[in-house]
Amino acid sequence: MMANTVLLERQDNIAIVTIDRPEALNALNSTVITELEQVVTALESDRDVRCMILTGEGRSFVAGADIGAQYPLDLDGGRRWGQRGSALFRRIEKLEFPTIAAVNGFALGGGCELALSCDIILASEKAKFGQPEVGLGITPGFSGTQRLPRRVGVAKAKELIFSGRMIKADEAKEIGLVNAVYAPEVLMGGALEMAKSFTKNAPIAVKYAKACIDRGMQMDIDGGIAVENELFAMCFATADQKEGMGAFLEKRPAAFRNK
């Protein structure tokens, strides 16, 4: 699938989504949001996809939401814009398979929020992160005030959001925003290697494990344990459980079928 500003390609069961608006540092405007919505719709219904890698073309991941497009907005327009971006990023967060943001450059404002909607963030040594919105007279609008503290802790998120400070990849890794940092030329190779380490496993089990973590983080530990117990039990109704354990007992590689 090729669109004007968002590209979708496949490598086996891995979907690679690239924001392709390099002349604007991949800034998010209505066209990019629309095409991302279309891509997410396609991925939500594709049972063959087992992992997604999200990246940007050129020297930027996503440099933020397009300031020129936001400048004329009034109260109602700002509300609609924020709701639209947040709804899209929530759909990305709720994709049943693992998602990896391969941040190759600037991930500022909406770009940082987009990366935060993914399960894993990998960064190039040239990557830079930040939520600079308060310097523009606004707050983060695509759920950054909610996801950043959940990722790095409340105090650090407040420091970064209140100051609008931009941080480099090494600091982002130090505070837990980023999982790993790579030389620019091997970032996508590292992302693909990680994706393959996910996709080699039973896809239903990976999906259930993601659901256990995501749902459990929104409730107390007893509720989370109950969710885990139910999804653990449901694994035993799958053919992949029999295949995985049978392959282990027979000392052979497993051939999972997503069933």
Side-chain angles (χ1 to χ4, degrees):
M1 174 180 176
M2 294 189 67
N4 293 324
T5 62
V6 181
L7 310 179
L8 172 60
E9 59 180 306
R10 289 276 293 275
Q11 289 197 22
D12 298 322
N13 48 18
I14 300 168
I16 302 174
V17 179
T18 305
I19 312 298
D20 188 24
R21 196 185 173 215
E23 72 283 357
L25 297 179
N26 301 324
L28 301 172
N29 61 8
S30 182
T31 300
V32 177
I33 293 291
T34 296
E35 293 175 4
L36 270 174
E37 290 168 338
Q38 294 168 348
V39 166
V40 171
T41 296
L43 294 176
E44 286 171 334
S45 60
D46 192 334
R47 280 183 51 81
D48 293 329
V49 173
R50 299 187 186 179
C51 188
M52 179 191 77
I53 298 172
L54 178 62
T55 193
E57 181 61 36
R59 63 191 183 93
S60 179
F61 176 71
V62 169
D66 193 299
I67 303 302
Q70 293 181 89
Y71 176 73
L73 296 178
D74 59 11
L75 172 64
D76 289 337
R79 180 179 291 114
R80 289 193 299 271
W81 177 243
Q83 289 173 339
R84 187 180 181 194
S86 291
L88 170 61
F89 289 9
R90 182 66 172 142
R91 288 174 66 195
I92 293 172
E93 187 173 46
K94 293 174 71 175
L95 287 169
E96 293 185 333
F97 44 77
T99 55
I100 300 170
V103 178
N104 51 303
F106 295 111
L108 306 176
C112 187
E113 291 168 307
L114 178 58
L116 284 165
S117 71
C118 294
D119 298 311
I120 307 290
I121 302 177
L122 305 180
S124 158
E125 292 169 343
K126 294 184 177 180
K128 294 182 179 179
F129 299 83
Q131 299 287 166
E133 289 91 344
V134 293
L136 299 169
I138 58 174
T139 69
F142 290 171
S143 308
T145 61
Q146 303 306 302
R147 290 198 181 92
L148 188 60
R150 284 170 166 81
R151 183 84 62 147
V152 304
V154 172
K156 180 56 69 172
K158 286 180 175 179
E159 174 197 330
L160 293 174
I161 291 172
F162 296 170
S163 69
R165 183 168 66 89
M166 187 166 58
I167 63 173
K168 296 180 180 179
D170 55 350
E171 183 176 353
K173 183 176 185 297
E174 181 181 339
I175 66 174
L177 176 60
V178 164
N179 292 68
V181 178
Y182 296 83
E185 64 273 14
V186 299
L187 172 64
M188 283 303 294
L192 282 165
E193 182 179 3
M194 180 176 286
K196 290 174 182 176
S197 77
F198 300 158
T199 61
K200 72 178 183 180
N201 296 312
I204 295 173
V206 173
K207 176 177 74 172
Y208 286 174
K210 176 174 175 173
C212 286
I213 296 167
D214 289 348
R215 290 167 60 184
M217 291 301 294
Q218 305 306 316
M219 58 183 69
D220 64 35
I221 190 167
D222 292 316
I225 289 170
V227 169
E228 181 189 278
N229 184 253
E230 181 60 24
L231 292 177
F232 171 72
M234 288 171 61
C235 291
F236 288 85
T238 69
D240 280 351
Q241 175 263 329
K242 296 295 184 284
E243 170 61 19
M245 292 190 175
F248 177 84
L249 293 171
E250 296 166 14
K251 296 180 172 56
R252 62 173 174 81
F256 295 116
R257 297 184 297 150
N258 199 19
K259 293 182 179 179

